[in-house]
Amino acid sequence: MNLSGAYTSGTGTIDRPAQRDPQKQDPMNPTFTDTTAPANSGAIESRQNRTLEMQLIPEALARAQMQERLREAESERRAQRLAAARRMQRRAERASLRARRALAMAVMQ
């Protein structure tokens, strides 16, 4: 901006940002959309990737915790099924012994 108050810079300021509408831009002043990517764009991109990774960390942590809970629940279900199978096996063995005794008693008479 010069002393007369006319806006001449193509880069823009906080008070007067650069125009983004192509019809309102001065064709003699190239804007940031006309220029190529800066030389350090790889650093900017890696920073953005790092930022994205940082934003995804809570999601990954929640997913890992949920998978751990699912594993624990499956392990608990297996343990309950095993305990029930052992109980049923003991009950079947007792019934078998009772039947054998009853048969022996019937044969003895």
Side-chain angles (χ1 to χ4, degrees):
M1 186 150 87
N2 60 18
L3 294 176
S4 67
Y7 181 65
T8 58
S9 174
T11 58
T13 64
I14 293 175
D15 295 331
R16 293 178 178 260
Q19 295 290 333
R20 300 222 169 151
D21 186 8
Q23 294 177 345
K24 293 181 181 178
Q25 290 179 355
D26 184 8
M28 299 306 289
N29 289 335
T31 60
F32 60 91
T33 58
D34 295 337
T35 60
T36 60
N40 63 350
S41 65
I44 293 170
E45 186 176 325
S46 79
R47 231 176 294 131
Q48 288 173 344
N49 285 342
R50 223 175 305 131
T51 302
L52 179 63
E53 289 171 9
M54 292 293 283
Q55 290 172 350
L56 294 178
I57 285 175
E59 183 179 335
L61 180 61
R63 189 178 297 115
Q65 288 175 344
M66 185 58 81
Q67 288 173 349
E68 181 62 28
R69 287 180 187 157
L70 287 172
R71 278 192 293 270
E72 288 175 6
E74 182 61 33
S75 175
E76 184 70 25
R77 280 193 291 270
R78 270 189 250 127
Q80 288 175 351
R81 278 183 288 202
L82 181 62
R86 285 182 177 160
R87 277 194 305 271
M88 288 168 37
Q89 182 180 5
R90 284 193 300 268
R91 187 179 299 163
E93 287 172 356
R94 284 194 302 266
S96 174
L97 283 175
R98 278 196 303 271
R100 214 179 281 165
R101 279 190 206 128
L103 183 61
M105 294 293 257
V107 170
M108 291 271 223
Q109 290 179 354

